Amino acid sequence: LGALSKAKTANVQVRQKAAAAGASGDDVEVLAVNVSEMRDCIETIAERFDWQTLPGLSFPGSLEHLYPIYQVALINGAPEARQVAAKGLGDLVTLTAKPILEAHRTFAGPLIRVLGDRFDAFVKVAIIDTLRLLLEKVGPSLKQFFPQLQTAHVKCLSDTDAQVRSGSCATLGLLAGLNPRTDSLLTKLAKGASAPDADVRRSTLQALVTVQSKLTPMNA
């Protein structure tokens, strides 16, 4: 993984590391350990580059041997492994060159699916944070996911955890700035604003205000 600090020569070494990590997903416990170790290694390298784009993540194919490991852990791992995988994907969003990240935009799909499942708040918060990073960096390229993103984050406004609700509120604001079709979103938020739970009402009203503040005269 140290090859991430170099250019195309990273490809072969990262492939070897990915194979050694056992990315098949057959052994979830072993995979979870490897995911944590891999993320630690990447963070160490990132700190040397002040969390700027890594040379080894700046060319076509540079994510092909890192992303699958995180994806398997995100989908099949224990809750702790899913959290690490989601945060690790967030690291990759930060450290990968924008054109390369746009080519791998489909990894938003697994994040959205897991977000919609019944997992602990710490897993959801990690996923929400990573999706927000992804939207901030390559938002327009995620157009195909806008409906699913809206649905998942509106649902999270009803979560019992305050961090999940506040994170979803912020992401819905980002989506409103990227997606001109907000009628259905505003309708859902208006309906949720009358929820019986006081915390849910407050979060939904905050989301409604946040979304409306992002609207332009064209899509208001």
Side-chain angles (χ1 to χ4, degrees):
L1 283 178
L4 291 175
S5 61
K6 303 175 183 179
K8 288 192 176 182
T9 54
N11 201 18
V12 174
Q13 294 184 39
V14 170
R15 183 187 295 115
Q16 292 171 345
K17 178 66 177 181
S24 67
D26 294 333
D27 190 336
V28 174
E29 292 183 2
V30 172
L31 180 61
V33 172
N34 285 318
V35 165
S36 297
E37 292 177 352
M38 186 171 80
R39 184 174 183 236
D40 289 343
C41 290
I42 292 175
E43 284 186 322
T44 299
I45 297 167
E47 288 171 0
R48 296 207 302 265
F49 282 79
D50 294 324
W51 285 91
Q52 300 301 308
T53 300
L54 295 180
L57 294 176
S58 302
F59 60 89
S62 55
L63 282 177
E64 291 178 2
H65 309 292
L66 295 175
Y67 168 66
I69 300 174
Y70 283 140
Q71 183 184 35
V72 170
L74 179 72
I75 296 173
N76 298 325
E80 292 76 12
R82 292 175 191 259
Q83 180 193 37
V84 172
K87 289 184 175 182
L89 287 171
D91 296 339
L92 293 184
V93 170
T94 300
L95 299 169
T96 302
K98 186 175 179 180
I100 307 305
L101 193 60
E102 288 174 334
H104 285 266
R105 60 187 176 275
T106 53
F107 79 57
L111 287 163
I112 296 169
R113 289 196 295 273
V114 176
L115 180 61
D117 289 338
R118 295 182 178 180
F119 288 109
D120 291 330
F122 64 84
V123 176
K124 292 183 179 180
V125 169
I127 293 174
I128 290 169
D129 289 345
T130 292
L131 286 171
R132 188 162 61 250
L133 287 171
L134 194 58
L135 284 167
E136 289 171 345
K137 191 163 185 177
V138 295
S141 71
L142 300 177
K143 183 178 180 180
Q144 70 190 89
F145 295 105
F146 285 171
Q148 299 99 302
L149 283 164
Q150 285 186 356
T151 298
H153 285 86
V154 168
K155 180 180 178 180
C156 284
L157 292 174
S158 300
D159 198 272
T160 57
D161 186 83
Q163 278 188 288
V164 172
R165 296 195 305 271
S166 63
S168 292
C169 177
T171 302
L172 287 169
L174 274 175
L175 283 168
L178 292 165
N179 184 12
R181 299 181 179 179
T182 57
D183 289 349
S184 62
L185 174 58
L186 291 171
T187 299
K188 291 177 182 177
L189 292 176
K191 183 178 179 180
S194 60
D197 184 274
D199 290 333
V200 173
R201 282 200 308 274
R202 280 193 291 269
S203 296
T204 306
L205 285 170
Q206 181 60 51
L208 185 59
V209 171
T210 301
V211 167
Q212 289 182 322
S213 72
K214 301 292 183 178
L215 300 182
T216 64
M218 182 177 297
N219 62 2

